[in-house]
Amino acid sequence: MLGNQKGFIIDLDGTLYRGGVRLPYAIEFVQAVRDRGFPLLFMTNNSTRRPEEVSHHLQELGIQAYPHEVFTTSQATVRYLDEQQRGNRVFCLGESGLTDELIDAGYILCEEDADYVVQGLDREFTYAKLLTAVTLIRAGAQSILTNPDVRLPSDTAFLPGAGSIAAAIRTAADQEAIIIGKPSVIMMNYALERMQLTASEVWMVGDNVRTDIAAGAAAGCPTALLLTGVSSVNEYVLHQQELCIEADYIFPTLQEFVFHLGFNASI
Ligand SMILES: [Mg+2]
């Protein structure tokens, strides 16, 4: 059943695809949203890819997507820095999805006198980078974390995520970073602003209780948890009890969500 909802914020990995494999009903779900003229935003905590790469990956999987419909934590991070107006010098631990966004927005990447230490997933993380980050934070640079995901799903095993690197920086610098991506409401509020809709008008759809559902709930969006990715029913119950995170709806797959919305008539 569709209430007063007019928009959809949709997570990617574990929701529309898993690694290189498209999940059932991903094409139909996205198409049904488009057919009704509802705005959608593909929102990802992955800071390593640019919006064009994200939409290209979706297109390759047969899911219709455009760069302007993608919102990455790197974009949200730049938006946050723009609001702070502390300066434009950034020590960045991250990959091209993050460094390109920063450079394009006019930030200077440096290793000295930084206003910010911005950290995302950096698969070339070293002790030397850790040392530089910690030294700069202790000297007054603001510590910013694109996303707190500790582990990432992959085809073979769980990979350490940006949150694992952040734990090393936080421990050594003895300072908490400002978190931009899900479950932070910072990125959610930017997303809602971009869609020009209020929280209650937008479904937050994702596979991760800790990030997608927590972010949606914190922002005030109705939430739909899909059990096609990282969160199992057991994990959900655990989070519900320990962290008081509650999804409004839980669906085994996108198909049940499509039926719940009443979108199945046109599929
Ligand atoms: Mg996901």
Side-chain angles (χ1 to χ4, degrees):
M1 174 192 77
L2 196 63
N4 70 329
Q5 285 77 43
K6 302 184 180 91
F8 292 80
I9 297 177
I10 307 166
D11 172 59
L12 298 177
D13 210 350
T15 301
L16 296 182
Y17 56 79
R18 215 163 35 214
V21 180
R22 189 182 69 234
L23 286 163
Y25 263 70
I27 291 178
E28 292 85 349
F29 167 58
V30 170
Q31 194 54 50
V33 171
R34 289 189 190 286
D35 289 347
R36 283 156 183 80
F38 293 131
L40 53 80
L41 201 60
F42 300 109
M43 193 158 106
T44 174
N45 261 8
N46 184 342
S47 67
T48 64
R49 286 179 175 171
R50 298 204 58 147
E52 304 78 46
E53 296 173 83
V54 174
S55 59
H56 181 72
H57 181 56
L58 286 166
Q59 295 275 17
E60 277 185 332
L61 294 173
I63 301 164
Q64 195 184 353
Y66 304 97
H68 71 271
E69 296 171 330
V70 176
F71 192 37
T72 70
T73 44
S74 296
Q75 292 176 295
T77 299
V78 166
R79 168 74 201 277
Y80 182 81
L81 296 193
D82 288 346
E83 282 181 351
Q84 304 310 301
Q85 303 221 324
R86 276 173 71 112
N88 65 347
R89 294 177 62 81
V90 177
F91 177 60
C92 180
L93 300 99
E95 303 186 10
S96 61
L98 182 57
T99 55
D100 288 355
E101 289 287 347
L102 287 165
I103 293 165
D104 287 353
Y107 290 92
I108 296 165
L109 304 187
C110 64
E111 296 188 356
E112 288 175 348
D113 301 324
D115 301 299
Y116 306 96
V117 170
V118 172
Q119 185 240 312
L121 178 61
D122 182 347
R123 282 170 284 194
E124 293 184 359
F125 179 63
T126 61
Y127 184 84
K129 288 184 181 180
L130 173 63
L131 176 60
T132 304
V134 169
T135 304
L136 290 168
I137 292 167
R138 293 194 64 84
Q142 192 171 52
S143 179
I144 311 277
L145 174 60
T146 57
N147 63 297
D149 299 62
V150 176
R151 283 177 292 275
L152 308 172
S154 82
D155 294 340
T156 48
F158 279 99
L159 307 171
S164 292
I165 298 172
I169 297 172
R170 181 179 65 241
T171 306
D174 195 22
Q175 192 178 313
E176 294 289 333
I178 290 163
I179 296 169
I180 305 295
K182 299 173 283 186
S184 169
V185 288
I186 294 175
M187 186 173 188
M188 284 300 296
N189 288 337
Y190 292 160
L192 293 170
E193 189 187 289
R194 194 159 140 174
M195 299 177 88
Q196 297 186 302
L197 293 172
T198 59
S200 66
E201 293 174 323
V202 179
W203 275 102
M204 177 70 191
V205 188
D207 70 303
N208 191 323
V209 181
R210 275 181 174 275
T211 56
D212 305 316
I213 302 307
C221 296
T223 56
L225 175 69
L226 297 166
L227 300 175
T228 44
V230 295
S231 295
S232 62
V233 171
N234 288 347
E235 222 182 56
Y236 173 72
V237 171
L238 196 73
H239 289 321
Q240 198 183 19
Q241 289 164 351
E242 284 182 8
L243 305 170
C244 299
I245 303 172
E246 197 131 4
D248 293 314
Y249 295 93
I250 304 174
F251 300 103
T253 71
L254 270 174
Q255 184 174 8
E256 286 80 6
F257 185 42
V258 165
F259 272 65
H260 174 80
L261 294 168
F263 284 1
N264 48 307
S266 66
I267 292 174

